[in-house]
Amino acid sequence: MVSKIIFQQIKFININDKEFKRFIIKKGLFVFPAGPALANIKKSNEYYKSLKKADFVFFDSGFFVLLLRIFKNINVQKFSGFKFLGMFFTYLKNNKNKRIFCIDPNTNFSKSNYKYIKNLGINNLYNYCAPKYNLKSLSDLNLLKNIKKFKPDYIIVNIGGGVQEVLGLYIRKNLKFKTSILCTGAAISFFTKDQAPINNLVDRYYLGWLIRLIFNPIIFFKKYITGLQLIPMVIFDKIKILKKDKIY
C-alpha cells in the first residue's frame, strides 16, 4: 500500500478510516489542499511553503486522486476536509472535555459554527473572527494572544483556502506549546448548512465540485478551469512513492 507520495516537494499521506484515530491525537499542522489551489502553488510562494512545511497533508482533491491513478498508476484514497471534520465531530461527541478554538471568516459564520460545535457537547469553545490577511506579511498578534490564553487542544481554521494554510503555519511557528491546527476551511459550512448541501455520498463519489458549481457557478467555474492546470503538473512531475506499513 502507498503510504506517502511526494508531489512538487509536498508530502501527501495516504490514510484510511481506521487510521483516523491514530492521527487525531497528533499535534501539528493539518492541511487539505483543493485541486485548483494545488494547480496554483507556483503563483503563491507563501501558500506553497505552508504546504511543504505542514505536518500532515491529505488527499482532499478527488480530481488529484483520479489524475494520479490515470497518469501515474498510483492508487491513493481521497480523505477530504469534509470527511475529516465529520469523523472529528464524532470524536468530539465522545471527548467533550477538549478545548476548541475556531477561526472564522465573519460573525455570521462564527455564530453558526459556535452553535454547531456547542451542540456536540463542547463547553470549552472560543470563536475568533479573522481580519483580512496580507499573505506576504501575515501577522495577527491579537489572535496569538487569545490562543495562548485559551490553550486549545484543537484549532479549526475555517477561512478560505490559500490563506488558512499560511495562517496555520504562522500559528504553529509562534506558539510555545503544541496543538493540532486543522485547516479544513469552509468544510464546516457543509455541516452548518451555510454552504451547498454536500453529504457523505456526494463526497465519496467525488461529486462535491458539481454541487458547488451548481450552487455558485460564477466563482467555482473559474476555479475549476484553473484546476485543469493540475493535469500537466501530474504528468510531468517525477512523483516519489513511499510504501511502508506505518506512515508516522
Side-chain angles (χ1 to χ4, degrees), residues 2 4-10 12 59 64 67-69 71-74 76 230 233-242:
V2 175
K4 184 191 300 182
I5 71 162
I6 301 177
F7 168 73
Q8 297 284 327
Q9 301 179 38
I10 303 167
F12 288 81
F59 290 102
F64 183 43
L67 291 179
L68 290 173
R69 291 178 187 175
F71 294 109
K72 298 294 185 179
N73 196 28
I74 299 173
V76 295
L230 196 57
M233 290 172 66
V234 171
I235 292 174
F236 295 109
D237 190 72
K238 294 181 179 179
I239 298 173
K240 185 176 180 180
I241 305 171
L242 299 179

Side-chain angles (χ1 to χ4, degrees), residues 208-235:
W209 66 272
L210 180 60
I211 302 298
R212 293 186 184 99
L213 188 60
I214 291 172
F215 277 79
N216 204 332
I218 296 176
I219 292 177
F220 286 101
F221 181 77
K222 293 179 180 179
K223 284 188 176 182
Y224 295 146
I225 290 298
T226 299
L228 294 177
Q229 298 175 38
L230 196 57
I231 297 174
M233 290 172 66
V234 171
I235 292 174

Side-chain angles (χ1 to χ4, degrees), residues 133-224:
Y133 294 112
N134 181 346
L135 291 187
K136 294 184 178 180
S137 58
L138 193 150
S139 178
D140 193 338
L141 298 180
N142 188 43
L143 171 63
L144 293 177
K145 178 182 177 181
N146 282 284
I147 292 175
K148 290 173 182 178
K149 184 178 179 180
F150 189 72
K151 287 187 169 52
D153 297 295
Y154 294 95
I155 299 172
I156 311 177
V157 188
N158 302 314
I159 61 178
V163 179
Q164 57 174 316
E165 297 86 355
V166 180
L167 179 61
L169 183 61
Y170 168 80
I171 293 170
R172 192 189 69 181
K173 283 182 175 180
N174 288 281
L175 291 183
K176 292 183 179 179
F177 64 93
K178 292 184 178 181
T179 186
S180 302
I181 306 167
L182 313 179
C183 293
T184 48
I188 191 172
S189 295
F190 300 132
F191 295 90
T192 62
K193 309 303 180 185
D194 286 325
Q195 278 210 46
I198 290 180
N199 54 37
N200 291 327
L201 186 65
V202 169
D203 185 62
R204 186 182 305 129
Y205 290 101
Y206 304 0
L207 295 175
W209 66 272
L210 180 60
I211 302 298
R212 293 186 184 99
L213 188 60
I214 291 172
F215 277 79
N216 204 332
I218 296 176
I219 292 177
F220 286 101
F221 181 77
K222 293 179 180 179
K223 284 188 176 182
Y224 295 146

Side-chain angles (χ1 to χ4, degrees), residues 74-109:
I74 299 173
N75 290 309
V76 295
Q77 295 187 45
K78 178 184 175 184
F79 210 99
S80 66
F82 171 82
K83 181 177 182 177
F84 188 95
L85 270 190
M87 298 181 76
F88 177 60
F89 291 150
T90 299
Y91 169 81
L92 288 184
K93 289 179 181 178
N94 299 313
N95 295 271
K96 297 178 180 179
N97 62 324
K98 298 299 182 182
R99 302 177 67 83
I100 308 298
F101 191 105
C102 287
I103 303 175
D104 304 314
N106 56 55
T107 55
N108 289 331
F109 280 95

Side-chain angles (χ1 to χ4, degrees), residues 108-122:
N108 289 331
F109 280 95
S110 190
K111 289 177 181 177
S112 295
N113 297 344
Y114 179 87
K115 182 179 179 181
Y116 185 87
I117 296 177
K118 198 74 173 178
N119 286 339
L120 298 175
I122 300 298

